Amino acid sequence: MRKPLSWATALCLLIGSALLLVAAPAFKTKKPGEKIVLAGIGKSIHAYWREVELGMRAAAKKLKGCQVRWFVPPKEDVRAQVATFESFVAQGVDGIVIGPSNPAAIKGAVQKALKAGIPVITFDTDAPDSGRLLYVGTDNYKAGYEAGKTMVKVLGGKGKVAICTGSLTALNSVQRMEGFKAAVKGTQIQIVETYNDNEDRAKALANAQAALQRYPDLAGFFGVYAFNGPACAQAVKMMGKAGKVKIVCFDTTAEHMQLIRQGLITATVGQRPFMMGYRSTEILYRMVTEGVEKVLRDLKLDKLPPEKRHVDTGIDVVTKENMEAYRRQLLKLGIPVQGW
Ligand code: BGC
């Protein structure tokens, strides 16, 4: 038979659970129709983030009383993200979604917002240890792995490859590179160097040119961020190496799609930035009007450890051959297609 609890143990348990209740953030709720202000923070000025913003605004239009405040720094800027996040908290917005350029740097601000009863989620790139409630976006390791498999196919399993990215701290970049490396492991593909441009368009081009100069026998570029595929394509063209150096990259802005059509980009991993904005806005709105616990239950994420709570927006590997089918699929999903 189990021993009955002593008074002292029972008291400790009681105090313990009371403390837990105090520690768990209490989120403020509002009724649909009341003014609900949701803030979105992206990573850089780029067509990719414009699509995320459009997704947020499209969802807000559909939700009663919902308003969006939007911020992106010109290029990767961890400080500006943190400062803006803190100012949104001070303004008393009702929910925040952020794509953190540095997950460690944003943690303190996320904790403060949660303590103030403001639900915080991430999109595009995660900060799993920050306490954020969930992440909406691509499974970046898997997506990087797909890019790596595609590169193996495109290069017939051998050749020198340079990686060009826009961040060495954002988790999506780190995970894409890890996935890519895992996929090319065991082949004769050799990764010669990793270049970082901090999401600076001019630097992205300079990096790609530097790689072509330093490795005259370069066979391929892996462009990790939306800036990189087009920058590599421009460098390849300028140096008269079109068709000789293959490009596998990420994203499907109009610029990417035109370069695919011209054969300068061989394949790209399409994310769904519009959906990242759209879904995040819906989720935050529901968290504010229905409660965080209910939304987590409805999304079937409540039983998972917090760091694993992920709403996957999906990816597609896009080439010249399937780009028209891809367009039809986007339209079917309700994602607007612009400029290609
Ligand atoms: C990434 C974003 C990045 C954007 C522009 C996308 O591939 O998902 O995190 O900000 O490219 O560089």
Side-chain angles (χ1 to χ4, degrees):
M1 215 178 81
R2 277 175 61 191
K3 264 197 340 202
L5 291 181
S6 75
W7 274 108
T9 325
L11 195 67
C12 281
L13 280 175
L14 203 72
I15 294 173
S17 31
L19 277 178
L20 261 183
L21 273 181
V22 174
F27 294 104
K28 292 181 206 127
T29 52
K30 282 192 171 174
K31 291 197 190 66
E34 277 184 72
K35 180 171 144 191
I36 294 172
V37 180
L38 304 179
I41 301 177
K43 293 171 63 228
S44 61
I45 292 179
H46 191 279
Y48 174 89
W49 283 104
R50 178 75 187 133
E51 277 185 52
V52 180
E53 180 188 356
L54 285 177
M56 275 198 88
R57 297 201 185 279
K61 223 170 160 184
K62 211 193 58 177
L63 300 163
K64 240 174 137 193
C66 187
Q67 290 180 13
V68 169
R69 282 189 204 155
W70 178 254
F71 172 78
V72 272
K75 59 187 196 105
E76 183 175 67
D77 192 336
V78 175
R79 277 212 203 167
Q81 276 195 323
V82 175
T84 306
F85 189 103
E86 282 174 345
S87 96
F88 281 140
V89 174
Q91 288 165 37
V93 300
D94 298 294
I96 305 177
V97 54
I98 180 168
S101 289
N102 182 331
I106 201 70
K107 184 170 175 175
V110 172
Q111 297 276 320
K112 261 192 248 161
L114 294 170
K115 245 197 211 143
I118 302 170
V120 178
I121 63 175
T122 48
F123 59 7
D124 175 64
T125 181
D126 198 9
D129 304 324
S130 64
R132 57 88 188 113
L133 298 167
L134 56 83
Y135 160 62
V136 179
T138 299
D139 177 336
N140 283 291
Y141 181 86
K142 198 173 118 197
Y145 194 89
E146 283 301 319
K149 267 186 10 195
T150 307
M151 184 65 96
V152 173
K153 239 195 266 165
V154 167
L155 296 186
K158 57 175 189 292
K160 288 187 181 163
V161 170
I163 299 182
C164 292
T165 188
S167 182
L168 296 180
T169 50
L171 203 58
N172 59 353
S173 167
V174 172
Q175 291 173 335
R176 285 175 203 176
M177 293 193 285
E178 278 173 1
F180 185 88
K181 286 176 187 164
V184 304
K185 207 173 162 191
T187 69
Q188 282 165 276
I189 287 179
Q190 184 201 350
I191 295 166
V192 288
E193 200 160 331
T194 299
Y195 294 84
N196 177 27
D197 56 60
N198 297 100
E199 301 202 45
D200 179 326
R201 193 177 286 274
K203 184 88 196 287
L205 177 62
N207 282 350
Q209 286 173 315
L212 288 169
Q213 255 145 19
R214 178 140 190 220
Y215 306 98
D217 55 344
L218 195 74
F221 272 118
F222 171 36
V224 179
Y225 270 0
F227 286 93
N228 300 116
C232 294
Q234 201 183 335
V236 163
K237 206 170 150 188
M238 279 163 74
M239 292 174 79
K241 295 210 161 177
K244 288 197 195 93
V245 183
K246 309 282 188 212
I247 299 166
V248 174
C249 61
F250 263 74
D251 300 310
T252 49
T253 67
E255 196 182 7
H256 289 82
M257 300 317 271
Q258 279 143 18
L259 291 163
I260 288 204
R261 198 173 277 132
Q262 292 164 21
L264 277 156
I265 289 177
T266 307
T268 191
V269 178
Q271 307 188 76
R272 308 220 177 110
F274 182 88
M275 278 303 168
M276 292 181 201
Y278 196 95
R279 296 283 285 132
S280 296
T281 305
E282 274 183 340
I283 287 170
L284 278 176
Y285 186 88
R286 288 195 53 204
M287 283 178 165
V288 175
T289 53
E290 298 172 33
V292 169
E293 293 309 319
K294 176 166 189 305
V295 177
L296 290 176
R297 264 197 317 274
D298 288 354
L299 292 170
K300 300 200 171 30
L301 299 174
D302 55 319
K303 302 268 175 355
L304 292 176
E307 67 278 8
K308 293 237 157 66
R309 292 177 182 161
H310 174 200
V311 175
D312 194 343
T313 41
I315 55 158
D316 302 274
V317 178
V318 186
T319 60
K320 204 176 193 170
E321 285 67 45
N322 71 5
M323 65 188 286
E324 285 313 316
Y326 176 65
R327 178 208 300 276
R328 285 195 295 277
Q329 191 206 336
L330 290 183
L331 292 173
K332 222 164 107 192
L333 287 169
I335 300 175
V337 175
Q338 271 157 1
W340 61 278

